[in-house]
Amino acid sequence: MKRVFWLSAAFLVFIGIFNMLCFLFTEVYTESFYISIAFANGSILFYALATLLMHRRKRHAYLDIQNTFIICSYFIVCVILNFIFIMAEMQNELANWVTNTIILGIYLIVLFIIFAANATSRHVLETDRRERNAFYNIQEKAELLLNKGNSFALNKKLESVYDRVSSCQINRATNVAEVDKKICDGIDGILLALANEEYTEAEQTIKKVIFLLDDRDRVIRNALRR
């Protein structure tokens, strides 16, 4: 909080000094003068907002160091350019508008491209994280089945379920959340049957879970082929 306060104070001081110099060394306040003042102050506020948001980047995921560097460079270019316009007492309003608008447009296009790339990367990472968590959740449930049977043969079948789950693909191609839920429910059903010593029911549910696992891999393979 203190850092945000001091950053805010620093930008307010900079805005104050900039405007004081501009008004102090200018005798005639023309339309072009106010255009330069507006663009320069706007760039300072834009950079100040980006800097403050960087301290909350967990909530503003797309605003990273690269974006802030682009905004900083725009702020520097815009302030210097418009300070020169003011000190040189530029009178051409149209040229001032066009120059500032073109520079702003170039930077906005660059920022949009970076934002789009960041959004895509974030989406891919989030999808990968979600799918990994779904896979590990199934695997952890399947691990609970090991050695819970009443015979060597049943324990081998339970072990085969765990091995089959462990060999599943971590999905990155299509949405198999519904199948994943059915698999988890099936494993829960096996555990419940074992707890109630309903071993025949457990073996039947094992077959259903194996079928669901095969179906899951089939859906993923088909999506990868497309």
Side-chain angles (χ1 to χ4, degrees):
M1 194 65 184
K2 288 183 178 179
R3 191 172 183 181
V4 171
F5 172 79
W6 287 113
L7 277 171
S8 301
F11 278 112
L12 287 174
V13 170
F14 185 85
I15 289 176
I17 293 173
F18 173 79
N19 284 278
M20 182 187 69
L21 290 174
C22 290
F23 281 94
L24 185 63
F25 291 103
T26 303
E27 295 180 356
V28 181
Y29 306 136
T30 63
E31 185 91 15
S32 180
F33 170 83
Y34 286 111
I35 291 171
S36 292
I37 285 288
F39 272 100
N41 281 289
S43 70
I44 296 169
L45 293 174
F46 189 30
Y47 181 49
L49 179 62
T51 303
L52 293 174
L53 289 179
M54 271 297 297
H55 295 283
R56 306 176 69 186
R57 54 182 173 270
K58 288 184 179 179
R59 294 183 57 187
H60 305 278
Y62 302 144
L63 189 65
D64 58 12
I65 297 295
Q66 189 178 22
N67 304 133
T68 309
F69 176 77
I70 297 296
I71 296 171
C72 176
S73 64
Y74 169 69
F75 148 70
I76 293 171
V77 169
C78 189
V79 168
I80 292 175
L81 176 69
N82 284 287
F83 188 73
I84 291 172
F85 284 171
I86 291 169
M87 291 300 102
E89 298 183 356
M90 183 178 184
Q91 301 298 319
N92 193 327
E93 300 166 15
L94 180 61
N96 196 334
W97 264 111
V98 171
T99 303
N100 275 292
T101 303
I102 288 174
I103 292 173
L104 177 60
I106 291 171
Y107 276 99
L108 287 177
I109 290 171
V110 173
L111 274 178
F112 176 78
I113 292 171
I114 294 173
F115 277 140
N118 286 346
T120 302
S121 298
R122 294 282 178 178
H123 177 71
V124 171
L125 290 173
E126 179 60 26
T127 300
D128 183 67
R129 183 193 64 79
R130 186 173 61 250
E131 297 301 343
R132 282 182 176 276
N133 287 343
F135 169 77
Y136 291 128
N137 183 45
I138 297 173
Q139 191 179 45
E140 286 173 6
K141 279 183 174 289
E143 191 173 3
L144 297 175
L145 297 173
L146 297 176
N147 299 317
K148 292 293 178 63
N150 65 334
S151 65
F152 177 78
L154 182 54
N155 280 331
K156 291 299 290 184
K157 291 179 181 179
L158 294 172
E159 186 179 340
S160 70
V161 173
Y162 175 75
D163 291 340
R164 184 66 187 80
V165 168
S166 298
S167 65
C168 277
Q169 297 189 58
I170 297 178
N171 171 48
R172 295 184 181 87
T174 187
N175 186 4
V176 290
E178 187 175 343
V179 180
D180 287 345
K181 184 178 183 305
K182 289 180 180 178
I183 293 170
C184 286
D185 290 343
I187 294 173
D188 287 338
I190 297 171
L191 289 169
L192 181 61
L194 292 172
N196 294 331
E197 297 184 355
E198 298 173 350
Y199 300 113
T200 302
E201 177 68 21
E203 290 188 11
Q204 290 176 351
T205 310
I206 287 171
K207 293 177 182 178
K208 293 178 182 178
V209 171
I210 294 293
F211 174 80
L212 288 170
L213 289 166
D214 290 339
D215 187 55
R216 181 182 186 276
D217 275 356
R218 179 185 57 78
V219 171
I220 295 173
R221 282 196 302 269
N222 288 340
L224 289 171
R225 290 194 189 103
R226 296 192 188 113

